[in-house]
Structure formats: C-alpha cells, structure tokens
Amino acid sequence: MESAPSGFNLRDHVLVVFVLALLSLAHRSMGARRLMELYEPESSERLTYHNGTVLSGDIPVSILWYGNFTAAQKDIVSDFLVSLAAAPGAYPSPSVPQWWSSIVQLYHSKVKAVGKKGAEKTRVFLSGNFSDEGCSLGRSLTLSQLPALAAAAKPAKGGVALVLTAQDVAVEGFCMSRCGMHGSDAKAGTAYVWVGNSAAQCPAQCAWPFKQEKPLVVPPSGDLGMDGLVINVASMLAGAVTNPFGDGFYQGERQAPLEAATACQGVYGTGAYPGNAGKLLIDKVTGASYNANGARGRKCLLPALFDPLTSGCATLV
C-alpha cells in the first residue's frame, strides 16, 4: 500500500539550502551527494552528454569496509549490490534492477545513439570485500586519502571501488557539505565511491528522509544509518557510472556537477517537494517506507533519476 504525503505550508517552514563544495584532485573527477533537500534547477539548465566515457558492460564493484561494521550491516549493502545485477523481473515490482535499468535507458542508450564505446549492456556486480577494521589511516580522513583507500579495494579496470566508512569515522566535509562522493583515476581506468554511515554524526542530513517526523519515514532494514548509506551509495554509483571521468553526463560546472541522481536531490516518489520525499510504499508488517524490492526480500529506498529528455525526475513509485 502507499502513503500519501501530508500537507505543507511554506509560510510555516524554512528551507535550508546546503551548498555543494567539491575538491578537485589532479587526474580525478569528483562528484558529491548534497545534503537532504530538494534541488530545483534553473529552467535554462540541462543535464547533457559531454561526449566522454561512461562505464559499461560488466562493472565489478569491490568494497573496502573502513572501521567496524557488523555482519548484518554488511549484508544490507551486499544485498543491494546483488540486486543491481539481477534481471528487472527477478523481484516484485518496483525493484532495484528496474531502477538500474532506468540508468541504462536514460543514459547509456544516449551513448549508443552517437556511436560511442560503452553502449553495450551494463551490469554491476559485487566482486570482492576487503576490511580495514583497525582504520590504518586513522579515524579522521581527508579527501586526499580516499584514493589510497580505494586502491586497497583493488578495483579492476573499468570497475568501481566502494569505500564505506563506519559511523565513528570522520571524513573531511562529511555532514557539512557532502554525504558521499565519487572520483576516478583516469590513467588506471577505475572509479571509486566513498559513502559514510551517518547514524552517529548527522542522520538528519545524510540519512534523510528517514530522520524526519512528519510524515514518518521508517527505515526498511531497521538500521537508519545503513539505509541512509544505501541511498547515498545508489546516488554516487549512478554518478560514477554515467560520469566517471568528468566528461560524461552532467549538468552545471565540471568541478561541481549535478548528475543522474544528484540532479533530483530529495525526490523519492511522485509528489515530492522540499521537506517531503513524495509518495512511498509502506510495508504492512513493519511500517517501513520503501520504493524498491531486492534480493532476499530486502526493501530499500532509492533516489529518483533525472530524465535528460523530459528534464524531470523519474521515480519508481
């Protein structure tokens, strides 16, 4: 069943706008998931293809778990990645693979239209797990340290290293200007994504919309920090695949791009507006809010994807 969004009075609310701040590193293209609220683009802005590279074909994703994660927390992320590789009809609709197929349809099909390499079938799959529970670089990281951690995940050429930091690990800009980011090493032909568990530091920002009271949005796994992390992983993975080296699909400035998911910040269902995620599905047993079904009966909440053709946000529900 679905829950309809409650009423909203603009005079009674203040919209907090968080400004995206990105650090540009040599030979690396960066994108970041901004905080919490709905982004409303100027009418003149367009998310377009800049004639560059996208990741396609079989895309291996290897994870580096930095800090302490429980087995149950790791399963949440692993099940999401496994779901991405499944056929669109593998799970009840709406589903995680349906969301992923939308990326291929909205973006990779445009590459095929201009005859560029990367138009073939695109599939993400989990290829490896690595752990750094002792936090070898400390529990306070700078952005310049992320590539080294990504390398520790041993990404294959054309693949993505997924660096996940535990809730007690601080990362430069985390909570203040970003909830996650993606970058790449063009020379090696690899990309990386970093996302942090925000449960202890800023759940109201980086696990939004789960950390809001009206309407109540209950995390489907029961772990607010990890369900928020999945949202950010999905958002950053979409950007890493469609704009890995800074010359693919994006809107605005190359150093501070809006991408497939970040251009629809704050939108999860139809009827979304600032402070409201839109209409979501509600689990009859747990009361959890979600918009996608995945592996092992897992439910999750995934961001809307920007449709370059309509300049609108495509949602699963």
Side-chain angles (χ1 to χ4, degrees), residues 29 41 60 70 85 119 121 171 191 200 238 299 306 315:
S29 166
T70 67
K121 184 177 180 180
V171 179
K299 293 175 169 57
F306 189 83
T315 61

Side-chain angles (χ1 to χ4, degrees), residues 59-73:
I59 304 173
V61 176
S62 55
I63 304 176
L64 176 68
W65 304 94
Y66 192 82
N68 184 37
F69 289 87
T70 67
Q73 289 177 324

Side-chain angles (χ1 to χ4, degrees), residues 63-69 74 129-139 141 145-146 148-153 162-169:
I63 304 176
L64 176 68
W65 304 94
Y66 192 82
N68 184 37
F69 289 87
K74 291 181 178 181
N129 279 278
F130 302 86
S131 294
D132 187 349
E133 293 185 2
C135 297
S136 60
L137 298 183
R139 296 185 185 275
L141 302 174
Q145 292 175 302
L146 295 180
L149 293 178
L162 180 55
V163 178
L164 303 179
T165 50
Q167 61 181 344
D168 60 346
V169 176

